[in-house]
Amino acid sequence: MSVSYTNASGTFDLASSSGPNPRYSISMETQQKSGIAYANRYSISATGTFIATGDITTQGERAKSILDEIAVELIRSGGYGTLTIQSPGGSTSLIFKDCKLLTIDAAEQDESSQGVTTQEFTASFEAYKMQQTSGANDDDFYENLGDGDLDDLNESWDWAITEDYTSDKQESETNRNFTATYTVSATGRGSSSTSGYEAAKAWVQSRVATNSNPLAAEDLLGNPNTLDGLPPAANYNLYNKITSRNEDTSSGSYSETVSWVVSKHQAGCSVDISGSLDPAGAANTVDVSVTITGYEDNLEGETSSKYSNAKAFYDAKVEPYLPTWAESHYNTFLAPSLTATGRSLNGFVTSKSVSANETDGVITVSATFDDKNVLLGAVDQNIQITDTNADGGNQIVAIIPVIAKTNGPVIQDMSTTGERTRSISLDLTMDQNNRVTRPDGYAQIAAYIPNANPVYRQNASETWNPFSGAYSLSVDYVWTDNSITN
């Protein structure tokens, strides 16, 4: 039986070559958190016999001699080494790696032992890795959790539903957002090859890498980390990731806290639609206002993705559907109040403004629609009709002044009426995509030309500005029928 301790300076046998076999005891304590084990701590006590040198008769000198020589042998590499306990014949060995010497105890001799050259001493060790000579390692499970280099570890998740919402109006969805916060910390004890801080940092970073997706996280045993109320992973993605780190190299501790926004969409979207019913106006209007706030893919990245995410959401989820949203609002809230038939909201905007804040990742758009009956390609249209003597009721009379007739002239009915006239004026404003070709104004006023027979056109004037899109047409008609129906 031999008990030896090996460090960088060599091997020290706890028994002299001629002395008795050393005695030893081993105890094991499993370190765990909430039933999850992360290390085995081995406490080894070995009692050996030492042959004293120097003055062995003077009180205290022998113990001092023993402690000095043992300390020189055992404490050479910062307190770390390999303790080997070998059975007689060397068939079986217990090997404790990164073993740390804690105490050396050599009792002072009493009167009866003075002059005796041998002295027992006890060395206490602590280790976290034990291996048999057969190669079977009893510590595989714990090595996966830090290889016995951790004094303490903690891991926690925090999930919360936020007051923020994301909206996909086209899909009639309004979804809540979540926040996920993952905190991992450890205190390392270190070994001959690494410091406690390095061991803690390596373990924490390995856990953070394992749980880089909070929607598919694992606990310390590798089981899915589930919690009631979490969003379905298939429909949600991670945004605004940010990591905070804390390190204390003197105490060997390291921690990371990672947080995410868990959202179904890459941007927050707020849609506000308002309709205006104006009985005295030429048209009724619907205004659509949308604010889009992009999320970051990763707040730790060198460049921001907020604006690109906001723009992608705008292109796919907002811009194509503005007319649809306006029409739905019109049909739901305005149309029921309209008794006139044939009115419907136009599918093109009469005005639109878009602002983009690329720094903050915010896009706002405002669009206005109306139900004015206009020529295709026009954004505004106005027709003015002026009829003169349309009912033929105007009388032509002769007014004859008479001298000394105190009550005025003589008015004589000629038993006839004047011509009937209609003046039609059309004003159009074409949108910027329809200003190359002059619009057909006559087609727009065709329904208002008097349906008398015969009817005569007297005057017509037309103006057209292809730069501003302004177009006007003025036409005068005359006829003598007693009545018209339009």
Side-chain angles (χ1 to χ4, degrees):
M1 170 74 70
S2 68
V3 179
S4 60
Y5 185 73
T6 302
N7 54 33
S9 299
T11 300
F12 174 73
D13 198 331
L14 273 68
S16 62
S17 59
S18 59
N21 290 332
R23 304 186 305 275
Y24 68 89
S25 64
I26 303 173
S27 63
M28 184 188 78
E29 176 188 0
T30 299
Q31 294 181 303
Q32 55 185 343
K33 280 289 185 72
S34 301
I36 299 176
Y38 60 89
N40 275 346
R41 181 171 65 187
Y42 300 96
S43 298
I44 307 102
S45 176
T47 301
T49 302
F50 190 79
I51 298 178
T53 61
D55 185 354
I56 61 173
T57 60
T58 304
Q59 183 76 15
E61 286 298 321
R62 181 170 63 172
K64 179 178 181 301
S65 172
I66 294 171
L67 291 176
D68 286 346
E69 294 193 36
I70 294 174
V72 169
E73 296 293 339
L74 293 180
I75 308 176
R76 293 176 185 246
S77 59
Y80 287 104
T82 299
L83 181 68
T84 302
I85 301 175
Q86 191 172 22
S87 64
S91 59
T92 304
S93 295
L94 297 179
I95 301 173
F96 297 90
K97 301 176 182 178
D98 287 327
C99 187
K100 188 175 184 179
L101 173 65
L102 299 179
T103 62
I104 301 173
D105 178 30
E108 177 55 56
Q109 72 271 22
D110 55 22
E111 292 183 359
S112 62
S113 65
Q114 289 184 8
V116 178
T117 60
T118 59
Q119 171 77 36
E120 283 191 348
F121 68 93
T122 300
S124 298
F125 301 88
E126 181 181 78
Y128 293 84
K129 303 173 186 177
M130 183 179 74
Q131 187 175 16
Q132 297 179 357
T133 55
S134 62
N137 193 335
D138 75 337
D139 216 14
D140 285 341
F141 170 72
Y142 305 109
E143 288 187 357
N144 290 335
L145 292 179
D147 206 20
D149 293 334
L150 301 182
D151 255 339
D152 194 15
L153 59 89
N154 289 281
E155 183 174 278
S156 65
W157 285 95
D158 181 25
W159 282 89
I161 298 177
T162 72
E163 295 182 356
D164 297 330
Y165 296 86
T166 57
S167 174
D168 182 352
K169 181 169 175 55
Q170 180 59 21
E171 301 296 333
S172 300
E173 290 181 348
T174 299
N175 306 99
R176 288 185 179 274
N177 282 349
F178 297 78
T179 58
T181 304
Y182 180 42
T183 303
V184 191
S185 62
T187 301
R189 66 174 57 88
S191 64
S192 59
S193 60
T194 184
S195 68
Y197 162 75
E198 291 170 337
K201 181 178 180 180
W203 183 82
V204 168
Q205 291 183 339
S206 69
R207 290 299 299 164
V208 170
T210 297
N211 287 327
S212 59
N213 183 355
L215 298 173
E218 297 179 354
D219 62 21
L220 291 171
L221 294 177
N223 299 318
N225 185 37
T226 59
L227 186 69
D228 291 341
L230 297 186
N235 297 327
Y236 281 76
N237 293 298
L238 307 175
Y239 301 98
N240 289 11
K241 177 188 175 184
I242 188 168
T243 303
S244 60
R245 300 170 177 85
N246 181 272
E247 55 186 37
D248 186 343
T249 55
S250 60
S251 66
S253 63
Y254 180 85
S255 67
E256 288 192 10
T257 299
V258 189
S259 62
W260 298 266
V261 168
V262 185
S263 173
K264 192 170 183 180
H265 302 291
Q266 65 204 123
C269 179
S270 174
V271 180
D272 182 23
I273 306 176
S274 61
S276 176
L277 186 65
D278 184 7
N284 305 300
T285 59
V286 175
D287 297 309
V288 183
S289 300
V290 184
T291 301
I292 304 160
T293 303
Y295 297 140
E296 290 281 15
D297 291 329
N298 187 348
L299 283 170
E300 297 175 307
E302 293 185 1
T303 60
S304 173
S305 58
K306 289 190 296 184
Y307 177 72
S308 60
N309 281 339
K311 181 62 165 57
F313 189 90
Y314 170 80
D315 291 340
K317 300 292 186 178
V318 175
E319 170 62 19
Y321 304 111
L322 293 173
T324 304
W325 300 344
E327 183 180 18
S328 175
H329 186 89
Y330 179 88
N331 293 336
T332 302
F333 296 102
L334 300 187
S337 300
L338 299 172
T339 57
T341 60
R343 296 192 75 96
S344 62
L345 197 69
N346 295 317
F348 52 85
V349 297
T350 58
S351 66
K352 180 180 179 181
S353 65
V354 181
S355 65
N357 186 326
E358 297 190 21
T359 303
D360 295 336
V362 178
I363 297 175
T364 58
V365 56
S366 297
T368 299
F369 301 81
D370 63 35
D371 61 357
K372 184 180 290 186
N373 183 18
V374 296
L375 174 68
L376 182 64
V379 292
D380 192 26
Q381 176 173 312
N382 186 56
I383 296 179
Q384 181 75 31
I385 299 174
T386 302
D387 285 340
T388 302
N389 195 28
D391 63 351
N394 293 351
Q395 294 176 297
I396 296 178
V397 297
I399 302 175
I400 304 171
V402 179
I403 297 175
K405 189 175 184 296
T406 60
N407 61 347
V410 174
I411 300 175
Q412 184 176 1
D413 184 5
M414 304 298 290
S415 298
T416 187
T417 187
E419 69 276 15
R420 298 162 173 83
T421 64
R422 172 172 288 183
S423 297
I424 304 174
S425 61
L426 168 69
D427 294 300
L428 288 174
T429 301
M430 306 304 292
D431 66 32
Q432 294 179 358
N433 295 322
N434 291 276
R435 294 180 179 178
V436 176
T437 303
R438 182 178 61 181
D440 185 358
Y442 289 97
Q444 289 300 105
I445 68 170
Y448 306 103
I449 297 175
N451 58 2
N453 187 19
V455 63
Y456 305 95
R457 191 184 81 180
Q458 285 188 302
N459 300 295
S461 63
E462 188 177 21
T463 61
W464 163 238
N465 188 328
F467 295 99
S468 67
Y471 172 87
S472 64
L473 173 65
S474 179
V475 185
D476 296 329
Y477 293 93
V478 62
W479 72 97
T480 58
D481 281 354
N482 289 331
S483 63
I484 59 173
T485 58
N486 65 343

